[in-house]
């Protein structure tokens, strides 16, 4: 396990303007967590370029915005996407989040 600090939590916000619709991520909090990343793997689908996928489990301070679809940015790295959050962590005020990122 590696202790990681200053993780910025960003949640999706809809963008609607006369020229474009889309989604942007807005930083809403800083969470501190302990991150356990599994070894990454290359995935290839027919007709698509190969991509690198990593998964991780994280214990983090509970934040209402920490939910599926949020992103965790770690100092300039590719952000982690929150896949699921288990709020029944044994320690009060903490959650366990399943994360993934694709390069």
């Amino acid at each position: 396990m590696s202790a990681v600090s200053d993780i910025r939590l960003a949640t999706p916000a809809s963008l609607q303007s006369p020229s474009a619709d889309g989604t942007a991520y807005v930083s809403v909090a800083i969470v501190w967590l302990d991150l356990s990343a599994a070894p990454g793997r290359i995935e290839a689908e027919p007709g698509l370029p190969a991509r690198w996928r990593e998964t991780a489990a994280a214990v983090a301070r509970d934040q209402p915005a920490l939910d599926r679809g949020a992103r965790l940015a770690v100092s300039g790295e590719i952000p982690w996407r929150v896949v699921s959050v288990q709020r029944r962590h044994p320690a009060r005020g903490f959650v366990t989040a399943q994360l993934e990122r694709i390069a």
Side-chain angles (χ1 to χ4, degrees):
M1 277 198 212
S2 64
V4 182
S5 63
D6 195 21
I7 308 296
R8 298 197 176 271
L9 172 64
T11 58
S14 294
L15 290 179
Q16 295 180 350
S17 68
S19 59
D21 289 335
T23 301
Y25 284 80
V26 178
S27 183
V28 294
I30 295 176
V31 296
W32 290 265
L33 50 79
D34 189 22
L35 184 69
S36 299
R41 65 182 187 274
I42 295 175
E43 294 182 343
E45 295 180 31
L48 296 174
R51 56 190 189 168
W52 181 257
R53 179 186 297 264
E54 293 177 279
T55 59
V59 174
R61 291 192 180 277
D62 194 3
Q63 297 280 341
L66 183 58
D67 208 352
R68 187 173 187 207
R71 290 186 181 175
L72 296 172
V74 184
S75 57
E77 294 180 9
I78 296 170
W80 291 94
R81 184 176 63 86
V82 178
V83 176
S84 66
V85 177
Q86 175 61 265
R87 288 201 149 76
R88 292 189 185 104
H89 190 273
R92 185 180 177 117
F94 288 85
V95 299
T96 301
Q98 298 301 316
L99 312 172
E100 76 172 2
R101 65 182 174 183
I102 298 172

